[in-house]
Amino acid sequence: MAARLRLDHAGIEEMLKSAQVAGVIDDAAAAVASGVSETARDGQAIPVKVDSYTTDRAAAGVTMAHPAGLGIEAKRGSLSRAAAAAGLEGSAGAEASQLLDYVTASGRRRKATRAQVDNWTRGRS
Amino acid sequence: MSPAAIRFPDPRLAVRDLARELLADRTEPSALGAVVSTKTASPDDAKRSLPHVHVRSDGSFRDSRLNGRATIRVVVWHRDEGLAQDLALLLEALLLATTSNRVRGFSSVTGPLPTSDPDTGEPISYFTLTARLRPEQL
């Protein structure tokens, strides 16, 4: 007999927003930030900021907070290489973090990523 | 019997060669005369040839014997910001639609984003892709 699997979406969301998961994310972001050491043309050290936030899950961003930050990332890949050294692989972050309005089968409206919507609606016409 | 040894290609060389092939026949003004290299653009004006496309790998990942990937960053130096961005957009589109005997395919990660060279102030544009590498049995 085929088993029926029902995901506890509310439970999964609660877990992804929990302090424990946020702590793991913050540790990973701190590891990336500590791997970045850049200086601007004028010799000033580039400040590296970590911002923790919550979408449908705990998240964190690492930023070179300087006008030259984007150019340094373009030319040297400082953040990208620090992330790889911390065992993190780049993904389509901007796309993944963009939340869509999704109406569930029961009519409930909720925010979801494109990947979540694709997963929930797979096989439907 | 021990399992077969599997290796993956050097992602920088694989993507550099692919980019050279893809740009060779393009007639868009931004692509004419483009040099594709694993080396950065020379800061020396006398040696400089624009447009210059720099291909490098920011990390390689292997989560099973047959599944290898690399984060590839492509930086475009050009005569002005518009041309740099145009060539970056063109090359990203071409790479996302192609495959080779060393790369199974690409996924977009970031960009193309226009910015400036932090050392010289010249216009550049860059984008990042994930390259899914083709395994090779030794």
Side-chain angles (χ1 to χ4, degrees):
Chain A
M1 196 176 80
R4 191 176 167 84
L5 179 69
R6 196 183 179 98
L7 293 177
D8 178 3
H9 293 291
I12 292 169
E13 185 170 341
E14 187 182 337
M15 186 265 293
L16 289 174
K17 289 178 175 175
S18 69
Q20 288 92 335
V21 170
V24 172
I25 302 290
D26 289 345
D27 288 347
V32 174
S34 68
V36 179
S37 174
E38 293 289 355
T39 50
R41 244 195 307 183
D42 60 8
Q44 259 193 334
I46 302 284
V48 181
K49 268 177 53 185
V50 176
D51 297 302
S52 301
Y53 56 95
T54 306
T55 57
D56 60 335
R57 64 198 65 199
V62 183
T63 311
M64 285 189 277
H66 189 278
L70 184 60
I72 288 172
E73 179 60 17
K75 192 170 184 182
R76 302 176 197 148
S78 316
L79 289 169
S80 185
R81 285 187 290 116
L88 302 174
E89 188 175 355
S91 66
E95 192 181 327
S97 64
Q98 188 180 357
L99 297 179
L100 307 172
D101 282 316
Y102 176 72
V103 180
T104 66
S106 61
R108 195 163 68 93
R109 186 175 289 275
R110 60 167 297 175
K111 295 282 185 190
T113 63
R114 166 56 61 195
Q116 285 177 312
V117 172
D118 289 345
N119 188 39
W120 297 335
T121 56
R122 189 173 299 145
R124 290 188 210 165
S125 59
Chain B
M1 196 175 86
S2 61
I6 304 291
R7 63 166 279 172
F8 289 97
D10 181 328
R12 293 170 313 150
L13 302 183
V15 178
R16 178 201 65 184
D17 293 347
L18 193 50
R20 282 178 178 171
E21 275 176 41
L22 291 167
L23 292 177
D25 299 329
R26 302 305 304 190
T27 56
E28 289 84 350
S30 65
L32 294 176
V35 172
V36 183
S37 174
T38 55
K39 295 184 176 67
T40 190
S42 168
D44 181 354
D45 278 352
K47 294 180 185 168
R48 174 168 303 236
S49 170
L50 294 178
H52 183 97
V53 179
H54 178 207
V55 176
R56 64 165 298 160
S57 171
D58 285 342
S60 293
F61 306 89
R62 183 175 189 161
D63 54 18
S64 73
R65 290 184 61 242
L66 291 172
N67 191 16
R69 300 174 306 285
T71 301
I72 297 292
R73 182 161 40 85
V74 177
V75 191
V76 176
W77 279 259
H78 218 309
R79 291 184 297 279
D80 67 43
E81 188 174 307
L83 288 168
Q85 181 72 355
D86 192 66
L87 180 53
L89 287 164
L90 173 68
L91 183 54
E92 187 208 29
L94 294 171
L95 287 171
L96 287 173
T98 198
T99 185
S100 78
N101 60 354
R102 286 179 282 175
V103 181
R104 292 191 289 128
F106 294 94
S107 307
S108 173
V109 179
T110 52
L113 294 168
T115 181
S116 56
D117 185 312
D119 301 315
T120 64
E122 290 173 309
I124 57 175
S125 178
Y126 88 106
F127 60 92
T128 314
L129 302 171
T130 296
R132 295 183 294 281
L133 304 171
R134 205 175 286 284
E136 178 195 347
Q137 183 174 338
L138 294 179

